[in-house]
Each structure stands twice: as structure tokens, then as C-alpha cells.
Amino acid sequence: MIELDQRSVGIDEVGRGAWAGPIVGAAVFFPKKISVPKSVRLMDSKLLTKNQKMCSDQFIREHGVFVIKSVSLKTMSQKGVQEANKKVFELCVGAMKKKLKNSKGISFFIDGLRPKNFFLTAHFIPHGDRLHQTIAAASIIAKVARDQMMTALSEQYPQYGFERHVGYGTRAHYEALLKYGPCPIHRRSFAPIKKILAAREAEANSYEHHNNESVIK
């Protein structure tokens, strides 16, 4: 793991593979050398417990400069997930440059492979959230922020259990979709959602056809 330094911004996103909710990205910059306590784990957020994420999130917010950006479901529907993913990275780079005011000599490190037509200056690192502490820090605050968004949305759509699976594909989520159908924050272009929509449409058409035949008889 590359240690924290004062010349790098780490960027990562979460929610790309979820069935519902936004893609959320974050950028983190540590302006001075800091000592990381043992209670803080600056590593891939997927490897942390909820308590570890919350503790690390608090540390990052207290000691780092950060921005959090999200891309709406509308953007994903119109342009696709790949473009939405690229967009959130662009938003994070742009917002961090504005926040730092003078970004000369600072390098931007982003988790993953470089998207097509990404023209901003940045270094892309596959599995960067496991190799670079500032990228890991970005993954943590992005994850905590998105989880909080999805928990808030669960109050609006309580039947789906967003507070538990935060929009990802679980059996409970799939069963809720079968029972209630997709809600406005579900990604209707995703294969599982499309399959459920097609099945519900076929069922509705079958029911309508049966009723029409009954009326004719």
C-alpha cells in the first residue's frame, strides 16, 4: 500500500453495479503529513466492517480535503453506466481542483482503468483502492455517503429494504422487486430489472387477453 503523501488526490466511486440508486464518487487530499491511528483502516471499503468504515470516514473528514459527487439515474438511463462512471470522475477532478485553488504539482490517482475519451490529466490504477491510501480513503467516504443516501431513500420506498442492501442485487431485493415491481430509483436498463419488467408486462397482457375473451364469450 502506497503511504499517504501531500502531493496526491485519490478518487474512487461506488454504486456502479447496484440495481438502484446513484453512482457516488469522492476525491480526497491530505494537505499535510498525518499519523494514522490503529483504529483507522485506510483500505478498500469493501474489506471493512461498518464500524471500521464509520471510524475511518470520520478521520478522513477531519484531516482531509474532500469532495463528494453523484450521478443521477437520469444520466445513467440516457448515457449508460460507463458514461455515468466517467462523469462522476470528471466531476470529482473538477471540484477538487476548484477546492484546492492551486493544484499545480498535485497528481490525481483514480481507481480502475481509464475510460474512453477521458481527457483530464489523471493516473488510473486498477485495484487502486487496495494499492493507494488516498484512493482507499476516497472509496470509504464515497461508500459511507452512498449508504446514507440509500438509507434515506428507504424511508420513501420502505418495501425494498434499501437500508440493508443499499440497492445491490440480493435475494431479498429481488423478491421485493417481484412483489412490488421497480420504483423510480431502480435502473431499468439493468438486466435483472428488465427481466422483471418484461415478466410483469407479459402477465398484464395475459390477464387483459383473458378478460377480453371472457367479455366476448
Side-chain angles (χ1 to χ4, degrees):
M1 175 75 77
I2 298 173
E3 298 299 320
L4 298 174
D5 62 66
Q6 296 169 251
R7 310 309 302 164
S8 67
V9 171
I11 299 175
D12 201 1
E13 55 75 29
V14 295
R16 179 173 177 170
W19 292 357
I23 289 177
V24 175
V28 174
F29 173 75
F30 291 100
K32 59 183 180 180
K33 191 172 182 178
I34 55 175
S35 177
V36 182
K38 290 183 179 180
S39 59
V40 172
R41 307 290 298 276
L42 296 183
M43 55 194 299
D44 180 1
S45 62
K46 295 186 289 295
L47 303 177
L48 302 180
T49 66
K50 183 177 180 180
N51 287 340
Q52 288 172 334
K53 284 196 288 279
M54 297 305 296
C55 184
S56 299
D57 177 78
Q58 183 178 352
F59 176 85
I60 295 161
R61 288 171 180 268
E62 288 176 354
H63 296 278
V65 178
F66 65 92
V67 296
I68 296 172
K69 294 293 181 179
S70 63
V71 175
S72 69
L73 185 65
K74 182 179 180 181
T75 299
M76 280 185 273
S77 299
Q78 291 176 343
K79 298 185 177 182
V81 174
Q82 298 280 13
E83 283 297 310
N85 202 61
K86 183 181 77 169
K87 180 65 176 178
V88 82
F89 287 151
E90 292 171 341
L91 290 172
C92 285
V93 171
M96 185 57 88
K97 283 185 175 180
K98 287 182 180 179
K99 196 158 191 175
L100 294 177
K101 295 181 182 178
N102 180 14
S103 59
K104 186 177 180 180
I106 294 175
S107 298
F108 288 77
F109 295 91
I110 303 178
D111 181 57
L113 298 171
R114 179 178 289 274
K116 186 179 180 181
N117 297 325
F118 189 92
F119 300 115
L120 300 178
T121 301
H123 306 280
F124 282 81
I125 304 176
H127 308 297
D129 51 5
R130 301 190 184 193
L131 300 172
H132 200 291
Q133 280 190 324
T134 52
I135 294 178
S139 82
I140 291 167
I141 64 168
K143 174 62 176 169
V144 171
R146 188 179 185 280
D147 285 358
Q148 290 172 345
M149 290 179 191
M150 296 305 295
T151 298
L153 285 167
S154 72
E155 297 179 8
Q156 189 174 353
Y157 306 105
Q159 65 270 42
Y160 297 99
F162 290 136
E163 73 281 4
R164 296 188 299 276
H165 53 67
V166 295
Y168 284 91
T170 65
R171 180 176 291 277
H173 192 179
Y174 186 74
E175 290 174 352
L177 280 163
L178 288 175
K179 185 175 182 179
Y180 302 107
C183 73
I185 67 167
H186 278 105
R187 302 177 186 177
R188 293 170 182 251
S189 62
F190 275 38
I193 314 299
K194 287 171 72 173
K195 182 179 179 181
I196 288 170
L197 284 169
R200 290 172 70 88
E201 183 179 359
E203 184 180 352
N205 290 339
S206 176
Y207 178 79
E208 184 178 353
H209 179 71
H210 176 75
N211 281 352
N212 288 340
E213 281 192 338
S214 297
V215 170
I216 292 171
K217 289 177 181 179

